[in-house]
Every structure is written in C-alpha cells, then in structure tokens.
Amino acid sequence: MQTKPEAVTEPMPSSGASEDGPNDASDVQGSVSDADAFQILWEVKMKKRQKQPTLPDTVTKLVTEDGSKVYVVGTAHFSDSSKKDVATTIQEVQPDVVVVELCQYRVSMLKMDETTLLKEAKEINLEKLQQAVKQNGVMSGLMQILLLKVSAHITEQLGMAPGGEFREAFKEACKVPFCKFHLGDRPITVTFKRAIAALSLWQKIKLAWGLCFLSDPISKDDVEKCKQKDLLEQMMAEMIGEFPDLHRTIVSERDVYLTYMLKQAAKRMELPRASETEPKKYMPTVVVGVVGMGHIPGIEKNWSNELSIHEIMSVPPPSTSSKIIKLAIKASLLALLGYGCYHAGKRTIQLILSMPSPHYYLQKLREFTF
C-alpha cells in the first residue's frame, strides 16, 4: 500500500506593509500580481537559505539520487537543547518540507503542554479505557493508556512535556515561505496492534505489569543524560530488551516507514507557473526531518534501499490470547455490574423495610394471616 506523507498544514507567511507602502489590501493586490508576489517571497527564502549551513552535531545530512537534500535532526523528546537544534536547522536551510515523527493519532501533541498531559493522565477512568479498547482493540487500547501514564510520569519528574521539538518545528515551519508540514510516522494504532501480535500471552501480561508499576524517580543525572539520549526511547529500549520481537515492530519497522516518508517528501518539486503555456520546471527539494535520535541509524541504513511499506502497514487478526483477555475483561465488568446491582438492591429493600409505613402494613399482614 503506497501512501503519501500526510500534510497537516502548508504554512504561509503573513507579510505586513511597510511604513511607506500601501495600507489597503486592494492597493497591494492591484500593484503586485500573484506571479510577482511569489517571485518576491521565493527570492527572500533563497537569500535566507544558507549554501553552507552551520548545523548542530545532532543533524545528519542525506542526499537523494536527484539532488534533493534531507537534514534529519536527531532529538530527545524531553530536551530543551533538541528544540534549539530544530529551530536552528530550519532557520539555516529554509526547507520546502518539514517532516516530524508524528502520526494523525498523535497530532494533538503539537498543542500539548505539561499541564494538559498531566491532566489527561489523571483523568483516565473506566470510560476512557473502554473508548481506547473499542477504538484500538483490547491490548492496543491498554498499551495506549499505559504509555500515557509513562509519559505523564516522566513529565512530572522532569517538569516538561514530550514533543517540544515537534511544536518548535511547526512554529518555525510557519515562518518559512511555501513550507509544507508532514506527519511522517506510522499510525500508532498499527504499531500497537503489530507489536501486541508479536508477543505471547505471558509476554503481554509481563509488559503490561512493568508499565503499570513504573514509578522510579528520575535523578538530576538522568535529566542531564536526557540531553544526549532520548530518555523515553531509552526506557522503551530497556523494556524491549526483554521482548526481542518488539524491537522489530516498534523500532525497525518504523525506521523503514520514516525513511520512506522522508524520501517521498524529498521528491523534486514543481515550481508554480504564471500561466499554463509556460513549461514545467522542477528543482531539488530541501527537507528537514525531526525524529527521535534512536531512529537515525535505521534511517541511514535504509536510505539507499528500495522501500515498500505495504507489509508493515498490514494489521494481523486478533490472536486467541487477545480474545481470551477481551472476554475476561467483559466478564469482570459484568460481574462488577451485577455485584453493584445486587448490593444496591439489597440496601434499597432494607431501607424500605426500615420505614414506618411498610413496617406497619407488614405487621398487619402477619396478624391477618394468623
């Protein structure tokens, strides 16, 4: 299945009129044609684009066969230095496309802060759990809720929400003329379902147990290490070490997907034409990719390969263990509901019998019977 990178938005700059220039929009429209306006903005962008950009050490430069350039920024999801690296890279190269390690199910991270994340984690209830299970399946839904709790735990310890580098990328992309913004990661629902399908029943229980009781404090040394290495991915890597099959689905397959999306974004771009009679003109594209630093080696490894994402986008049918767990959860919920109804009904009958009027009539009924 061949899919194109999903565009969130195509930011366009808003240019204000100069002090000596016209203040009325109609005056501007009358004096500058669309073709001239495009040419002006394009020239501004080209002047800002550095031929020999000064880039952070966390940036890896890749080149396609047709000359397009891809600058991949390796980031830590809980690091202020990563945000600065992303901003610097976009300002230096003035890209045509920015690709981030997000999917449509995680795009809300672009407007998420520490308060929002902690609030969502604290408001996890039975209704949200049922909704997650209904949308993503039993194990995938449970994993999604548990990973939210993990992110909230790290956020609480470090005082910052994950994804700051993605929010920075979006903000900087909005400042670059004609820059598109793409979501480059595989849908998290597909990743979860493929990951869960790779585990045995015992491994699923063990993984869920480990996530449920993750509450170790994060020291100041860990915070400093976070600036050099992605703390969240490091924690995931430690857990994946116990489950080798997870590495293939959570890391290796997503390396392939991210590489594929970066190469799609880096295809030569067609320049806009003033009229249909003008010949089409193409030029190499400049792309900035923003991904967790744990994916950089895999992207470099896969860059020269012919890639297809058809197989890694397929979702296996629910396993027998998943069906058993789903039935067990439903049975538990029904049992709790039944117990609640029985307990409430028993208390209601006791309350009615304790009232004066029913007690009087029951006494009369006994007297009449005897």
Side-chain angles (χ1 to χ4, degrees):
M1 177 174 59
Q2 303 291 318
T3 59
K4 295 182 179 180
E6 182 176 350
V8 178
T9 183
E10 187 170 347
M12 297 292 288
S14 56
S15 55
S18 63
E19 293 181 2
D20 299 327
N23 293 322
D24 187 78
S26 61
D27 294 337
V28 176
Q29 200 171 29
S31 60
V32 181
S33 66
D34 290 343
D36 290 338
F38 169 81
Q39 189 64 32
I40 292 169
L41 288 172
W42 186 259
E43 288 177 1
V44 169
K45 178 174 180 173
M46 291 299 104
K47 285 180 181 179
K48 287 186 176 180
R49 178 178 288 175
Q50 301 297 321
K51 292 183 179 179
Q52 298 293 331
T54 303
L55 301 175
D57 295 336
T58 54
V59 177
T60 300
K61 181 181 176 182
L62 302 168
V63 182
T64 65
E65 293 179 355
D66 54 19
S68 294
K69 298 176 183 177
V70 180
Y71 299 92
V72 188
V73 188
T75 67
H77 296 317
F78 291 87
S79 172
D80 283 330
S81 60
S82 287
K83 292 163 61 175
K84 295 175 183 176
D85 290 350
V86 169
T88 299
T89 303
I90 293 176
Q91 290 165 10
E92 286 282 310
V93 306
Q94 294 289 297
D96 304 304
V97 185
V98 172
V99 181
V100 296
E101 186 197 333
L102 289 175
C103 67
Q104 64 265 39
Y105 297 100
R106 291 182 292 149
V107 73
S108 60
M109 191 175 287
L110 292 177
K111 56 182 179 180
M112 185 175 287
D113 55 17
E114 292 79 13
T115 305
T116 306
L117 178 61
L118 292 174
K119 182 180 178 183
E120 282 194 10
K122 288 178 180 177
E123 290 180 352
I124 293 175
N125 52 32
L126 184 59
E127 183 180 350
K128 285 190 176 181
L129 178 59
Q130 287 177 327
Q131 185 179 1
V133 168
K134 185 177 180 180
Q135 290 178 347
N136 307 311
V138 179
M139 291 305 300
S140 296
L142 290 174
M143 282 286 291
Q144 188 171 343
I145 294 294
L146 290 173
L147 285 177
L148 175 60
K149 296 287 284 185
V150 171
S151 295
H153 168 65
I154 301 175
T155 299
E156 199 168 17
Q157 295 285 318
L158 298 183
M160 63 177 74
E165 73 274 31
F166 303 138
R167 292 187 286 276
E168 193 71 19
F170 183 76
K171 183 176 73 175
E172 290 297 328
C174 290
K175 300 176 185 177
V176 180
F178 314 111
C179 181
K180 297 179 181 179
F181 193 85
H182 288 179
L183 303 178
D185 200 4
R186 182 172 65 177
I188 194 170
T189 52
V190 176
T191 298
F192 277 158
K193 287 177 181 179
R194 288 183 63 84
I196 293 303
L199 299 178
S200 66
L201 177 59
W202 171 243
Q203 287 177 322
K204 292 173 185 176
I205 295 171
K206 190 177 179 181
L207 178 62
W209 183 268
L211 290 172
C212 279
F213 292 95
L214 180 68
S215 58
D216 295 337
I218 299 172
S219 66
K220 291 182 179 180
D221 291 336
D222 292 326
V223 176
E224 291 303 315
K225 289 177 183 177
C226 180
K227 296 176 182 178
Q228 284 78 41
K229 188 170 183 180
D230 191 327
L231 184 60
L232 182 59
E233 290 195 6
Q234 182 180 352
M235 294 173 69
M236 289 300 296
E238 289 174 0
M239 288 189 291
I240 286 173
E242 300 181 35
F243 311 99
D245 290 332
L246 283 184
H247 187 276
R248 173 176 53 83
T249 53
I250 292 179
V251 180
S252 300
E253 289 182 359
R254 288 175 60 224
D255 289 345
V256 172
Y257 192 94
L258 288 165
T259 308
Y260 177 85
M261 288 304 193
L262 287 169
K263 293 179 80 169
Q264 289 291 310
K267 289 184 175 180
R268 289 171 66 88
M269 60 182 291
E270 179 185 345
L271 295 177
R273 295 174 291 165
S275 66
E276 292 295 328
T277 57
E278 286 190 17
K280 293 182 179 180
K281 296 180 180 179
Y282 296 88
M283 67 174 295
T285 303
V286 174
V287 179
V288 168
V290 182
V291 304
M293 58 181 63
H295 292 290
I296 298 295
I299 290 173
E300 288 185 287
K301 178 184 175 182
N302 290 296
W303 188 251
S304 300
N305 300 336
E306 288 291 330
L307 302 176
S308 172
I309 59 172
H310 178 75
E311 194 278 327
I312 62 174
M313 283 296 289
S314 62
V315 178
S319 63
T320 304
S321 60
S322 294
K323 293 178 181 178
I324 293 172
I325 293 173
K326 187 174 182 179
L327 288 173
I329 291 174
K330 284 185 176 180
S332 300
L333 291 174
L334 288 173
L336 287 172
L337 180 63
Y339 176 77
C341 291
Y342 166 76
H343 193 65
K346 186 177 179 181
R347 290 193 62 182
T348 302
I349 293 171
Q350 289 176 344
L351 181 62
I352 292 173
L353 292 177
S354 65
M355 296 172 65
S357 296
H359 187 73
Y360 171 77
Y361 285 113
L362 283 172
Q363 186 64 32
K364 288 291 185 182
L365 183 62
R366 288 195 194 97
E367 292 174 0
F368 177 78
T369 304
F370 291 106

